[in-house]
Amino acid sequence: MTKIFTICLLFLISLVTFAQKDFTPNWSKGVVWYQIFPDRFHNGDPSNDPKVNDQDGAYPFDITSDFQIHPWTSDWYELQPYEKKNGKDIYYNLQRRRYGGDLQGVIDKLDYLQSLGINAIYMNPVFWAPSSHKYDALCYHHIDPSFGPDPEGDKKLIANEDPLNPEKWVWTKADLLALKLIDEVHKRKMFIIFDGVFNHLGVNSFAFRDVEEKQEKSAYKDWFMVDSWKDAVKGTKFEYQGWFGIKTLPEFKEDNTGIVSGPKQYIFDATKRWMNPMNKGAQYGINAFLINLYCKFSN
């Protein structure tokens, strides 16, 4: 009988790693880490609190039920009055909760973290995504607008850019606040890394939305693992593979060298953006990406 085992391999990818025999960057050895789940860490700017429509496309796919920023000190297992109105259980409502944490909240608490002896920060995904966990990224080159000071303005800027032309990518206010966070971390002689799961995008990402709409005419048609295209003559439906079977996480196509060239180049461009922002030098970027590689093994 075949059994499937899943393991998670975590790697630190930094600009200096590849020149070292030891894959682990020297700076990361012996540091004291603090992991931050941005939405639930600290609300430094209530003016940018997420709205219910910001979770459009994320499980449980409900943007019509009552919604509010969840009370920070509430009992995790107790449904709040606004949640009870939808008649669903705790596991349904957990996915709809947003606490309003943002990048300003992280900046505000850096001195406190340093006082605890922390000298390295691991940021859970901060890229634009509808879920609270943000592994269903809409893109990898922009920080979630609700983590910055001008969510609606940022969305308008992003809507007018060409995702395939990194030279024309805009810097939103949330992006710039991320650079300020990086700078403030480094001023304190601390390190910061971003989480990256680069084998898929979210179903509402710029690339997959284009594929759904234009099918084989899309500029991104070779990015994903498409099983069949929508064809009225052949009677076929649009079918694709999601990461671990999860349809909201369309998986990048791979060949014998790994992820194919289109999404691979996009990933390289996006990682460079955060590790060497504006080509000012690596000292202005994050220290590394934490790359999650999920692999299946059978016996």
Side-chain angles (χ1 to χ4, degrees):
M1 183 175 70
T2 299
K3 297 181 179 179
I4 303 296
F5 298 90
T6 304
I7 65 170
C8 176
L9 303 177
L10 304 180
F11 295 97
L12 287 179
I13 306 298
S14 74
L15 290 181
V16 298
T17 294
F18 304 104
Q20 301 173 338
K21 292 183 179 180
D22 184 350
F23 194 80
T24 306
N26 286 329
W27 63 260
S28 68
K29 299 176 182 179
V31 298
V32 180
W33 292 96
Y34 192 96
Q35 182 175 353
I36 292 178
F37 193 105
D39 177 66
R40 298 172 188 169
F41 179 69
H42 180 60
N43 189 346
D45 182 4
S47 72
N48 64 14
D49 286 351
K51 308 295 189 296
V52 67
N53 285 336
D54 290 325
Q55 53 186 278
D56 188 14
Y59 181 84
F61 314 109
D62 179 1
I63 59 171
T64 59
S65 295
D66 279 12
F67 172 81
Q68 67 181 57
I69 296 301
H70 206 75
W72 282 84
T73 57
S74 59
D75 186 319
W76 179 256
Y77 296 100
E78 180 181 352
L79 292 178
Q80 295 298 303
Y82 81 92
E83 295 176 305
K84 293 178 180 178
K85 292 180 181 179
N86 61 38
K88 303 295 184 179
D89 63 16
I90 181 68
Y91 301 104
Y92 180 97
N93 281 287
L94 284 177
Q95 305 298 326
R96 299 186 74 244
R97 290 180 180 175
R98 300 294 185 273
Y99 289 77
D102 46 42
L103 295 188
Q104 187 59 53
V106 180
I107 293 172
D108 291 346
K109 294 295 183 179
L110 287 178
D111 288 338
Y112 166 70
L113 292 176
Q114 191 173 40
S115 73
L116 297 178
I118 305 300
N119 48 18
I121 295 173
Y122 159 32
M123 297 291 292
N124 267 69
V126 293
F127 303 121
W128 192 13
S131 68
S132 62
H133 55 71
K134 305 213 174 293
Y135 283 106
D136 52 342
L138 303 187
C139 64
Y140 289 126
H141 63 287
H142 287 301
I143 302 298
D144 194 293
S146 64
F147 288 158
D150 184 16
E152 296 310 312
D154 285 358
K155 293 172 188 176
K156 291 177 182 178
L157 285 175
I158 296 171
N160 292 320
E161 71 176 6
D162 179 2
L164 286 178
N165 187 353
E167 298 299 321
K168 299 294 185 178
W169 287 349
V170 298
W171 286 92
T172 67
K173 290 186 178 180
D175 296 339
L176 295 174
L177 190 61
L179 298 188
K180 180 181 178 181
L181 168 62
I182 295 167
D183 184 55
E184 292 295 328
V185 168
H186 290 163
K187 282 180 180 178
R188 292 165 173 78
K189 309 301 181 183
M190 300 165 70
F191 304 95
I192 183 170
I193 66 174
F194 284 177
D195 192 311
V197 182
F198 297 135
N199 62 351
H200 66 267
L201 277 172
V203 71
N204 282 347
S205 63
F206 67 90
F208 194 75
R209 283 202 315 268
D210 196 79
V211 170
E212 277 195 304
E213 177 187 350
K214 301 175 183 176
Q215 296 286 294
E216 291 177 276
K217 295 181 180 180
S218 171
Y220 309 97
K221 65 183 179 65
D222 295 322
W223 279 37
F224 302 98
M225 301 177 70
V226 177
D227 295 324
S228 63
W229 298 100
K230 184 178 180 180
D231 191 317
V233 175
K234 295 180 181 179
T236 55
K237 297 180 179 180
F238 178 50
E239 298 288 350
Y240 61 93
Q241 296 184 35
W243 177 79
F244 265 43
I246 302 171
K247 287 295 188 177
T248 55
L249 304 178
E251 193 168 0
F252 287 141
K253 183 186 294 185
E254 297 185 27
D255 57 24
N256 58 0
T257 64
I259 293 175
V260 296
S261 60
K264 180 187 293 184
Q265 186 60 54
Y266 172 67
I267 293 168
F268 285 169
D269 290 335
T271 53
K272 179 183 177 182
R273 176 178 173 89
W274 301 112
M275 301 188 78
N276 182 13
M278 303 178 187
N279 292 315
K280 293 169 61 177
Q283 68 271 28
Y284 295 96
I286 60 173
N287 297 96
F289 270 96
L290 183 70
I291 306 297
N292 291 274
L293 301 179
Y294 292 87
C295 309
K296 294 180 181 178
F297 296 87
S298 62
N299 67 354

